[in-house]
mmCIF file of all heavy atoms in Angstrom:
data_model
loop_
_atom_site.group_PDB
_atom_site.id
_atom_site.type_symbol
_atom_site.label_atom_id
_atom_site.label_comp_id
_atom_site.label_asym_id
_atom_site.label_seq_id
_atom_site.Cartn_x
_atom_site.Cartn_y
_atom_site.Cartn_z
ATOM 1 N N GLY A 94 19.092 -118.863 91.781
ATOM 2 C CA GLY A 94 18.912 -119.284 93.162
ATOM 3 C C GLY A 94 17.563 -118.845 93.700
ATOM 4 O O GLY A 94 17.159 -117.687 93.533
ATOM 5 N N LEU A 95 16.861 -119.765 94.339
ATOM 6 C CA LEU A 95 15.596 -119.463 95.005
ATOM 7 C C LEU A 95 15.742 -119.764 96.490
ATOM 8 O O LEU A 95 16.481 -120.673 96.877
ATOM 9 C CB LEU A 95 14.453 -120.306 94.430
ATOM 10 C CG LEU A 95 14.119 -120.157 92.946
ATOM 11 C CD1 LEU A 95 12.957 -121.081 92.580
ATOM 12 C CD2 LEU A 95 13.789 -118.729 92.595
ATOM 13 N N GLY A 96 15.021 -119.020 97.309
ATOM 14 C CA GLY A 96 15.058 -119.268 98.741
ATOM 15 C C GLY A 96 13.787 -118.776 99.397
ATOM 16 O O GLY A 96 12.839 -118.331 98.737
ATOM 17 N N HIS A 97 13.776 -118.859 100.726
ATOM 18 C CA HIS A 97 12.604 -118.422 101.477
ATOM 19 C C HIS A 97 12.430 -116.909 101.426
ATOM 20 O O HIS A 97 11.313 -116.402 101.479
ATOM 21 C CB HIS A 97 12.724 -118.839 102.943
ATOM 22 C CG HIS A 97 12.800 -120.316 103.164
ATOM 23 N ND1 HIS A 97 11.828 -121.193 102.717
ATOM 24 C CD2 HIS A 97 13.722 -121.074 103.807
ATOM 25 C CE1 HIS A 97 12.160 -122.422 103.074
ATOM 26 N NE2 HIS A 97 13.293 -122.387 103.731
ATOM 27 N N GLY A 98 13.531 -116.177 101.361
ATOM 28 C CA GLY A 98 13.465 -114.737 101.606
ATOM 29 C C GLY A 98 13.401 -114.494 103.111
ATOM 30 O O GLY A 98 12.958 -115.353 103.879
ATOM 31 N N MET A 99 13.869 -113.333 103.529
ATOM 32 C CA MET A 99 13.817 -112.999 104.953
ATOM 33 C C MET A 99 12.363 -112.894 105.395
ATOM 34 O O MET A 99 11.544 -112.229 104.747
ATOM 35 C CB MET A 99 14.546 -111.687 105.219
ATOM 36 C CG MET A 99 16.033 -111.737 104.913
ATOM 37 S SD MET A 99 16.919 -112.933 105.938
ATOM 38 C CE MET A 99 16.863 -112.114 107.519
ATOM 39 N N ARG A 100 12.029 -113.562 106.477
ATOM 40 C CA ARG A 100 10.638 -113.683 106.908
ATOM 41 C C ARG A 100 9.973 -112.316 107.087
ATOM 42 O O ARG A 100 8.839 -112.102 106.652
ATOM 43 C CB ARG A 100 10.583 -114.474 108.223
ATOM 44 C CG ARG A 100 9.188 -114.848 108.684
ATOM 45 C CD ARG A 100 8.593 -115.907 107.819
ATOM 46 N NE ARG A 100 7.311 -116.386 108.342
ATOM 47 C CZ ARG A 100 6.488 -117.163 107.679
ATOM 48 N NH1 ARG A 100 6.788 -117.577 106.463
ATOM 49 N NH2 ARG A 100 5.353 -117.565 108.207
ATOM 50 N N GLU A 101 10.670 -111.390 107.727
ATOM 51 C CA GLU A 101 10.070 -110.076 107.973
ATOM 52 C C GLU A 101 9.810 -109.330 106.682
ATOM 53 O O GLU A 101 8.795 -108.639 106.540
ATOM 54 C CB GLU A 101 10.957 -109.254 108.913
ATOM 55 C CG GLU A 101 10.938 -109.725 110.353
ATOM 56 C CD GLU A 101 9.516 -109.795 110.910
ATOM 57 O OE1 GLU A 101 8.760 -108.814 110.734
ATOM 58 O OE2 GLU A 101 9.157 -110.829 111.505
ATOM 59 N N TRP A 102 10.730 -109.443 105.724
ATOM 60 C CA TRP A 102 10.510 -108.794 104.429
ATOM 61 C C TRP A 102 9.322 -109.422 103.699
ATOM 62 O O TRP A 102 8.534 -108.715 103.061
ATOM 63 C CB TRP A 102 11.759 -108.883 103.566
ATOM 64 C CG TRP A 102 12.862 -107.974 104.004
ATOM 65 C CD1 TRP A 102 12.739 -106.818 104.725
ATOM 66 C CD2 TRP A 102 14.254 -108.135 103.747
ATOM 67 N NE1 TRP A 102 13.978 -106.249 104.939
ATOM 68 C CE2 TRP A 102 14.920 -107.045 104.344
ATOM 69 C CE3 TRP A 102 15.009 -109.098 103.075
ATOM 70 C CZ2 TRP A 102 16.307 -106.882 104.272
ATOM 71 C CZ3 TRP A 102 16.378 -108.939 103.016
ATOM 72 C CH2 TRP A 102 17.017 -107.845 103.594
ATOM 73 N N MET A 103 9.200 -110.734 103.782
ATOM 74 C CA MET A 103 8.077 -111.379 103.105
ATOM 75 C C MET A 103 6.749 -110.979 103.760
ATOM 76 O O MET A 103 5.734 -110.811 103.086
ATOM 77 C CB MET A 103 8.244 -112.895 103.112
ATOM 78 C CG MET A 103 9.462 -113.406 102.323
ATOM 79 S SD MET A 103 9.533 -112.836 100.597
ATOM 80 C CE MET A 103 10.693 -111.456 100.715
ATOM 81 N N ARG A 104 6.757 -110.801 105.081
ATOM 82 C CA ARG A 104 5.556 -110.282 105.748
ATOM 83 C C ARG A 104 5.267 -108.859 105.277
ATOM 84 O O ARG A 104 4.116 -108.480 105.080
ATOM 85 C CB ARG A 104 5.752 -110.293 107.265
ATOM 86 C CG ARG A 104 5.694 -111.660 107.913
ATOM 87 C CD ARG A 104 5.485 -111.538 109.414
ATOM 88 N NE ARG A 104 5.539 -112.834 110.087
ATOM 89 C CZ ARG A 104 6.575 -113.282 110.768
ATOM 90 N NH1 ARG A 104 7.665 -112.537 110.880
ATOM 91 N NH2 ARG A 104 6.555 -114.465 111.340
ATOM 92 N N GLN A 105 6.332 -108.069 105.135
ATOM 93 C CA GLN A 105 6.183 -106.660 104.758
ATOM 94 C C GLN A 105 5.513 -106.510 103.401
ATOM 95 O O GLN A 105 4.782 -105.547 103.160
ATOM 96 C CB GLN A 105 7.562 -105.993 104.761
ATOM 97 C CG GLN A 105 7.530 -104.478 104.678
ATOM 98 C CD GLN A 105 8.917 -103.874 104.814
ATOM 99 O OE1 GLN A 105 9.909 -104.586 104.997
ATOM 100 N NE2 GLN A 105 9.003 -102.572 104.727
ATOM 101 N N ILE A 106 5.765 -107.458 102.483
ATOM 102 C CA ILE A 106 5.165 -107.365 101.150
ATOM 103 C C ILE A 106 3.928 -108.264 101.013
ATOM 104 O O ILE A 106 3.396 -108.438 99.915
ATOM 105 C CB ILE A 106 6.188 -107.714 100.047
ATOM 106 C CG1 ILE A 106 6.642 -109.173 100.143
ATOM 107 C CG2 ILE A 106 7.382 -106.772 100.095
ATOM 108 C CD1 ILE A 106 7.482 -109.639 98.960
ATOM 109 N N GLY A 107 3.474 -108.837 102.141
ATOM 110 C CA GLY A 107 2.257 -109.647 102.118
ATOM 111 C C GLY A 107 2.421 -110.991 101.446
ATOM 112 O O GLY A 107 1.464 -111.531 100.882
ATOM 113 N N ALA A 108 3.633 -111.555 101.507
ATOM 114 C CA ALA A 108 3.887 -112.811 100.796
ATOM 115 C C ALA A 108 4.439 -113.904 101.699
ATOM 116 O O ALA A 108 4.927 -114.915 101.198
ATOM 117 C CB ALA A 108 4.859 -112.559 99.645
ATOM 118 N N ALA A 109 4.377 -113.748 103.015
ATOM 119 C CA ALA A 109 4.940 -114.760 103.920
ATOM 120 C C ALA A 109 4.046 -115.989 103.938
ATOM 121 O O ALA A 109 2.872 -115.907 104.317
ATOM 122 C CB ALA A 109 5.091 -114.185 105.322
ATOM 123 N N PRO A 110 4.566 -117.158 103.553
ATOM 124 C CA PRO A 110 3.734 -118.364 103.533
ATOM 125 C C PRO A 110 3.596 -118.978 104.923
ATOM 126 O O PRO A 110 4.488 -118.845 105.770
ATOM 127 C CB PRO A 110 4.504 -119.301 102.602
ATOM 128 C CG PRO A 110 5.936 -118.912 102.806
ATOM 129 C CD PRO A 110 5.934 -117.418 103.063
ATOM 130 N N ALA A 111 2.501 -119.675 105.136
ATOM 131 C CA ALA A 111 2.330 -120.381 106.404
ATOM 132 C C ALA A 111 3.318 -121.530 106.517
ATOM 133 O O ALA A 111 3.767 -121.882 107.604
ATOM 134 C CB ALA A 111 0.901 -120.896 106.521
ATOM 135 N N SER A 112 3.681 -122.124 105.379
ATOM 136 C CA SER A 112 4.644 -123.227 105.361
ATOM 137 C C SER A 112 5.772 -122.896 104.385
ATOM 138 O O SER A 112 5.683 -123.220 103.188
ATOM 139 C CB SER A 112 3.973 -124.538 104.954
ATOM 140 O OG SER A 112 4.935 -125.563 104.867
ATOM 141 N N PRO A 113 6.829 -122.248 104.859
ATOM 142 C CA PRO A 113 7.929 -121.894 103.958
ATOM 143 C C PRO A 113 8.558 -123.098 103.259
ATOM 144 O O PRO A 113 8.959 -122.999 102.097
ATOM 145 C CB PRO A 113 8.938 -121.208 104.885
ATOM 146 C CG PRO A 113 8.122 -120.700 106.034
ATOM 147 C CD PRO A 113 7.042 -121.713 106.225
ATOM 148 N N LEU A 114 8.651 -124.236 103.935
ATOM 149 C CA LEU A 114 9.276 -125.407 103.325
ATOM 150 C C LEU A 114 8.458 -125.906 102.137
ATOM 151 O O LEU A 114 9.005 -126.201 101.065
ATOM 152 C CB LEU A 114 9.419 -126.520 104.365
ATOM 153 C CG LEU A 114 10.382 -126.244 105.521
ATOM 154 C CD1 LEU A 114 10.287 -127.365 106.551
ATOM 155 C CD2 LEU A 114 11.813 -126.113 105.024
ATOM 156 N N THR A 115 7.147 -125.985 102.317
ATOM 157 C CA THR A 115 6.288 -126.432 101.222
ATOM 158 C C THR A 115 6.335 -125.456 100.062
ATOM 159 O O THR A 115 6.418 -125.858 98.885
ATOM 160 C CB THR A 115 4.836 -126.593 101.710
ATOM 161 O OG1 THR A 115 4.803 -127.541 102.773
ATOM 162 C CG2 THR A 115 3.920 -127.043 100.593
ATOM 163 N N ALA A 116 6.291 -124.162 100.380
ATOM 164 C CA ALA A 116 6.314 -123.139 99.329
ATOM 165 C C ALA A 116 7.590 -123.227 98.506
ATOM 166 O O ALA A 116 7.557 -123.173 97.265
ATOM 167 C CB ALA A 116 6.176 -121.750 99.950
ATOM 168 N N LEU A 117 8.727 -123.385 99.170
ATOM 169 C CA LEU A 117 9.993 -123.447 98.443
ATOM 170 C C LEU A 117 10.061 -124.714 97.591
ATOM 171 O O LEU A 117 10.463 -124.664 96.417
ATOM 172 C CB LEU A 117 11.165 -123.389 99.422
ATOM 173 C CG LEU A 117 12.559 -123.438 98.793
ATOM 174 C CD1 LEU A 117 12.762 -122.297 97.803
ATOM 175 C CD2 LEU A 117 13.644 -123.406 99.875
ATOM 176 N N ALA A 118 9.676 -125.845 98.159
ATOM 177 C CA ALA A 118 9.727 -127.095 97.398
ATOM 178 C C ALA A 118 8.858 -127.018 96.144
ATOM 179 O O ALA A 118 9.275 -127.436 95.050
ATOM 180 C CB ALA A 118 9.282 -128.262 98.285
ATOM 181 N N GLU A 119 7.645 -126.478 96.281
ATOM 182 C CA GLU A 119 6.756 -126.383 95.124
ATOM 183 C C GLU A 119 7.319 -125.461 94.054
ATOM 184 O O GLU A 119 7.229 -125.758 92.853
ATOM 185 C CB GLU A 119 5.377 -125.902 95.571
ATOM 186 C CG GLU A 119 4.604 -126.927 96.392
ATOM 187 C CD GLU A 119 3.221 -126.456 96.795
ATOM 188 O OE1 GLU A 119 2.829 -125.328 96.409
ATOM 189 O OE2 GLU A 119 2.525 -127.213 97.504
ATOM 190 N N HIS A 120 7.897 -124.334 94.465
ATOM 191 C CA HIS A 120 8.468 -123.413 93.483
ATOM 192 C C HIS A 120 9.685 -124.021 92.790
ATOM 193 O O HIS A 120 9.836 -123.910 91.566
ATOM 194 C CB HIS A 120 8.844 -122.090 94.151
ATOM 195 C CG HIS A 120 7.695 -121.145 94.303
ATOM 196 N ND1 HIS A 120 6.769 -121.255 95.320
ATOM 197 C CD2 HIS A 120 7.306 -120.076 93.563
ATOM 198 C CE1 HIS A 120 5.874 -120.287 95.209
ATOM 199 N NE2 HIS A 120 6.177 -119.562 94.142
ATOM 200 N N LEU A 121 10.560 -124.676 93.553
ATOM 201 C CA LEU A 121 11.736 -125.296 92.945
ATOM 202 C C LEU A 121 11.325 -126.330 91.911
ATOM 203 O O LEU A 121 11.861 -126.367 90.785
ATOM 204 C CB LEU A 121 12.604 -125.947 94.022
ATOM 205 C CG LEU A 121 13.404 -125.013 94.926
ATOM 206 C CD1 LEU A 121 13.945 -125.775 96.133
ATOM 207 C CD2 LEU A 121 14.545 -124.347 94.163
ATOM 208 N N ASP A 122 10.373 -127.172 92.255
ATOM 209 C CA ASP A 122 9.938 -128.212 91.317
ATOM 210 C C ASP A 122 9.339 -127.605 90.055
ATOM 211 O O ASP A 122 9.661 -128.024 88.930
ATOM 212 C CB ASP A 122 8.904 -129.120 91.989
ATOM 213 C CG ASP A 122 9.522 -130.075 92.992
ATOM 214 O OD1 ASP A 122 10.759 -130.227 92.992
ATOM 215 O OD2 ASP A 122 8.753 -130.672 93.787
ATOM 216 N N ALA A 123 8.460 -126.633 90.228
ATOM 217 C CA ALA A 123 7.780 -126.056 89.062
ATOM 218 C C ALA A 123 8.760 -125.324 88.153
ATOM 219 O O ALA A 123 8.723 -125.488 86.926
ATOM 220 C CB ALA A 123 6.675 -125.103 89.527
ATOM 221 N N VAL A 124 9.643 -124.531 88.731
ATOM 222 C CA VAL A 124 10.590 -123.768 87.915
ATOM 223 C C VAL A 124 11.539 -124.703 87.177
ATOM 224 O O VAL A 124 11.804 -124.533 85.973
ATOM 225 C CB VAL A 124 11.366 -122.755 88.796
ATOM 226 C CG1 VAL A 124 12.503 -122.109 88.008
ATOM 227 C CG2 VAL A 124 10.414 -121.676 89.314
ATOM 228 N N ARG A 125 12.044 -125.718 87.857
ATOM 229 C CA ARG A 125 12.963 -126.656 87.201
ATOM 230 C C ARG A 125 12.267 -127.393 86.057
ATOM 231 O O ARG A 125 12.853 -127.594 84.981
ATOM 232 C CB ARG A 125 13.533 -127.644 88.212
ATOM 233 C CG ARG A 125 14.512 -127.018 89.198
ATOM 234 C CD ARG A 125 15.074 -128.014 90.214
ATOM 235 N NE ARG A 125 15.931 -128.993 89.567
ATOM 236 C CZ ARG A 125 15.622 -130.275 89.420
ATOM 237 N NH1 ARG A 125 14.456 -130.739 89.874
ATOM 238 N NH2 ARG A 125 16.463 -131.091 88.831
ATOM 239 N N ARG A 126 11.033 -127.801 86.266
ATOM 240 C CA ARG A 126 10.316 -128.537 85.228
ATOM 241 C C ARG A 126 10.020 -127.635 84.023
ATOM 242 O O ARG A 126 10.153 -128.056 82.869
ATOM 243 C CB ARG A 126 9.024 -129.125 85.793
ATOM 244 C CG ARG A 126 9.244 -130.265 86.793
ATOM 245 C CD ARG A 126 7.903 -130.767 87.327
ATOM 246 N NE ARG A 126 7.075 -131.314 86.245
ATOM 247 C CZ ARG A 126 5.779 -131.542 86.342
ATOM 248 N NH1 ARG A 126 5.136 -131.243 87.480
ATOM 249 N NH2 ARG A 126 5.108 -132.052 85.326
#
Side-chain angles (χ1 to χ4, degrees):
L95 299 180
H97 298 303
M99 296 298 289
R100 188 71 173 169
E101 287 306 312
W102 286 336
M103 296 306 99
R104 286 197 185 102
Q105 192 175 359
I106 65 171
S112 176
L114 294 173
T115 301
L117 180 58
E119 290 182 2
H120 277 80
L121 287 167
D122 285 346
V124 171
R125 290 180 67 250
R126 290 179 62 196

